[in-house]
Amino acid sequence: MLFEKVAEAIIRLSQKTSFRGVGGYSHAALSRQGVTSAFPQAEREASQFDAFFRLFETPGLANDFAGKMVLDLGSGYGGKTVEYVRTCRAREAHGIEPFENMVTFSEAYARKVGVTNCHFRICAHTEIPYDDCFFDAVVSHDVLEHVADPRATTGEIHRVLKPGGRAYIVFPPYHGLFSHHLDYITTIPGLHLLFPPETLIAAVNAILSSSQGERFGTFVQPAPRWSHNGKRKCLPSLNGLTGTEFRDMLGRFNVLYLSQKPHLSGRRKRLAWAWLFLAFKTAA
């Protein structure tokens, strides 16, 4: 209980600093921030889509998609998926998400901007709903840390890629300073390294359920869960994937580029760590 109070006090104090929470990502939360667009998430994703390619040290990487069949694994609200067609000139882009409302918004957004060769499906990421060797490229940006079984997901990525196809993956490892995904309430680095997940979530929920909780734009959080391999307890929505564990999952790929590097992200130019992965699928 003492540690919960300490964690809660730290998070509350952060609201008076540049590490204060940035609020939720729902329509309601963004409306409270003064955003009036019908597709605020998709438009934000579209405006930031090229940040993904800038993480790699390969000039002109976005040009690789021209004329290709592209899968966006974890497509969010469809903003980046649409840009793979509009800006990168992909022949088709397919986005998959586990939440029906996000797929619905993505489809509506694509219609709104007049893109007809962009398609979306519901998928839990453990079984990608496409045939073997269907895609020339698979993109996944800040998604692999959320899937229930990252080994199964990387296996599915390999399965749906054509021989010689490429996977482009970026994700924050669980032990990175800014990998706690608590930005809606605080951006203090390393909190999940200082406090056990149960302690941290109890502190977060104490704030979310208080009279000040509504302004953070999110619901009370579920209990922490075990990591994908049962080795550690993790904060909600995260699978605890580390960089070393990720590297061990890549045996079937011909790895072209694999790097753990700091990069600047967010409006406060925060320093974060991410694993960057670019690989050919090996020939069948």
Side-chain angles (χ1 to χ4, degrees):
M1 181 66 73
L2 173 61
F3 288 127
E4 292 174 9
K5 292 298 183 183
V6 171
E8 181 182 343
I10 291 173
I11 294 171
R12 288 187 182 277
L13 285 172
S14 74
Q15 308 312 312
K16 302 177 182 179
T17 74
S18 61
F19 292 105
R20 62 185 176 274
V22 298
Y25 203 50
S26 67
H27 272 70
L30 293 173
S31 294
R32 282 194 290 271
Q33 298 172 31
V35 180
T36 58
S37 168
F39 301 98
Q41 299 99 332
E43 290 170 358
R44 183 176 297 183
E45 291 168 355
S47 70
Q48 300 171 349
F49 97 101
D50 61 338
F52 174 84
F53 298 107
R54 292 199 301 269
L55 293 172
F56 291 88
E57 299 171 359
T58 306
L61 197 64
N63 296 328
D64 288 355
F65 290 2
K68 303 291 182 60
M69 295 285 290
V70 177
L71 173 66
D72 188 1
L73 190 147
S75 51
Y77 288 86
K80 288 186 290 187
T81 320
V82 165
E83 292 307 309
Y84 297 144
V85 169
R86 290 205 302 186
T87 303
C88 301
R89 307 183 311 281
R91 177 157 60 94
E92 289 184 15
H94 295 250
I96 55 175
E97 264 292 331
F99 304 108
E100 184 175 4
N101 67 312
M102 295 173 74
V103 169
T104 300
F105 273 112
S106 298
E107 292 172 335
Y109 174 70
R111 289 195 298 270
K112 183 248 185 184
V113 298
V115 172
T116 59
N117 52 340
C118 213
H119 312 281
F120 299 91
R121 290 189 184 183
I122 297 173
C123 169
H125 303 156
T126 52
E127 294 184 5
I128 297 175
Y130 290 93
D131 294 336
D132 296 357
C133 305
F134 194 86
F135 293 102
D136 300 293
V138 176
V139 184
S140 181
H141 189 190
D142 290 352
V143 173
L144 202 62
E145 75 273 23
H146 296 293
V147 301
D149 187 345
R151 185 175 296 277
T153 300
T154 54
E156 281 290 276
I157 291 172
H158 187 277
R159 180 185 65 78
V160 299
L161 275 173
K162 297 176 182 177
R166 290 186 176 185
Y168 308 74
I169 299 173
V170 173
F171 79 99
Y174 188 70
H175 293 137
L177 286 178
F178 290 94
S179 299
H180 52 55
H181 287 62
L182 297 175
D183 286 17
Y184 57 88
I185 196 167
T186 186
T187 59
I188 294 177
L191 280 179
H192 61 308
L193 307 179
L194 296 175
F195 296 100
E198 295 90 347
T199 299
L200 200 50
I201 290 303
V204 167
N205 283 342
I207 298 172
L208 292 178
S209 59
S210 70
S211 57
Q212 292 81 38
E214 184 177 353
R215 70 186 181 89
F216 295 107
T218 193
F219 299 107
V220 170
Q221 299 297 291
R225 62 184 187 182
W226 287 99
S227 63
H228 67 98
N229 54 10
K231 290 186 175 181
R232 62 190 71 90
K233 277 291 188 71
C234 301
L235 291 170
S237 85
L238 300 175
N239 58 29
L241 182 64
T242 68
T244 299
E245 291 165 353
F246 175 62
R247 284 187 298 178
D248 291 342
M249 300 175 184
L250 305 181
R252 300 176 68 190
F253 290 93
N254 179 18
V255 178
L256 300 179
Y257 181 80
L258 181 63
S259 175
Q260 186 178 20
K261 61 185 293 187
H263 65 92
L264 296 175
S265 63
R267 64 187 184 189
R268 295 185 181 85
K269 299 300 182 183
R270 297 176 288 110
L271 187 66
W273 285 96
W275 273 94
L276 312 180
F277 169 67
L278 170 60
F280 279 116
K281 176 185 182 294
T282 53

